[in-house]
Amino acid sequence: MYRLICALLSVPALAACTAKTPHPVSIATIVPVPPRIQPEPAWRQAIAPRDSVRLTGLATDWRKLHARLRAVTRQTQGAVLDPGAGLDNAALPPGSYRCRTLHMRSGQRGAVVQATAPGFCFVSGEENSLGFAKQTGTDIAAGYFYPDGNRYVFLGARQRKAGENSHGYGTDPKRDMVGVAERFANFRWRLAVPGPRAGDVDVYELTPVPVEQQPKS
């Protein structure tokens, strides 16, 4: 009888101990994810310091020249010379282009534009490695387009004659060219580069043409 009483008295004690026992708590460990580091654009590794300065100043020179153009000139040339007309989806399809050069020059009474006769250009390669060459006409240039957001950065060189591609960027600093290529309308692109004189800008207008219309030479 004594054992039964002791057993009955121990039941509440065990229940009390069970009630006081805390439930296990799950602890979630939060591991911070480091931000994804975007790779540096390839053109930054190739461009010379002097040309980096020229490239940075291109936008400012372009805006100043465009603001000094006569209203009739801005209206006639349209978006191709407007520095703010760049659009998204700048991808340049490889192939043949009809191209002309618009020389923007600063004068005593404002800025003027001198346009050359249309020639042919060719864009080759793939999306991440585009070659560019002006094949006919004047202002012969050749080089590469490097993707950079909604634009391409151009590193190239002025060639001695049409069809030539012997001078690469960095071979002769006097011939080196830097610039920005972007889309400014449907199926129309442009390449803007600093002109031979400080403060001037040359704009290559690029319009795709069927391959069969590309000159054979």
Side-chain angles (χ1 to χ4, degrees):
M1 184 68 179
Y2 175 76
R3 292 179 178 177
L4 178 60
I5 295 172
C6 290
L8 293 174
L9 291 175
S10 65
V11 172
L14 290 173
C17 292
T18 302
K20 294 180 179 180
T21 301
H23 294 286
V25 179
S26 298
I27 301 176
T29 302
I30 300 176
V31 179
V33 178
R36 184 177 179 182
I37 300 177
Q38 296 294 333
E40 186 178 45
W43 64 268
R44 291 189 182 275
Q45 302 174 13
I47 193 170
R50 64 182 181 279
D51 290 329
S52 182
V53 174
R54 295 171 65 200
L55 185 64
T56 301
L58 174 61
T60 300
D61 292 339
W62 194 356
R63 286 194 299 268
K64 289 181 178 178
L65 286 171
H66 188 261
R68 297 187 65 194
L69 289 175
R70 297 176 59 186
V72 64
T73 302
R74 291 198 297 267
Q75 184 176 4
T76 301
Q77 298 298 339
V80 64
L81 292 183
D82 183 354
L87 301 175
D88 295 339
N89 302 319
L92 269 160
S96 303
Y97 290 78
R98 186 175 295 277
C99 53
R100 62 170 182 156
T101 311
L102 300 168
H103 301 282
M104 301 179 67
R105 302 289 184 256
S106 180
Q108 296 181 351
R109 298 184 178 181
V112 296
V113 176
Q114 299 172 342
T116 64
F120 287 94
C121 297
F122 194 81
V123 175
S124 60
E126 301 177 356
E127 181 179 358
N128 294 325
S129 180
L130 291 177
F132 170 79
K134 190 170 188 298
Q135 299 168 303
T136 63
T138 58
D139 306 302
I140 304 302
Y144 290 91
F145 290 122
Y146 295 86
D148 188 49
N150 288 323
R151 66 176 190 173
Y152 289 91
V153 170
F154 175 71
L155 300 182
R158 300 183 187 277
Q159 307 301 311
R160 294 183 183 278
K161 58 183 180 180
E164 189 178 63
N165 190 17
S166 58
H167 294 278
Y169 177 77
T171 302
D172 183 354
K174 295 180 180 180
R175 292 184 174 275
D176 285 348
M177 299 175 65
V178 294
V180 173
E182 55 190 354
R183 186 173 68 91
F184 69 92
N186 290 336
F187 303 105
R188 296 178 70 189
W189 285 261
R190 64 188 181 189
L191 166 62
V193 301
R197 189 180 66 174
D200 293 343
V201 175
D202 293 338
V203 178
Y204 291 76
E205 182 182 19
L206 310 175
T207 306
V209 296
V211 176
E212 59 270 17
Q213 295 183 16
Q214 179 72 12
K216 297 180 180 180
S217 57

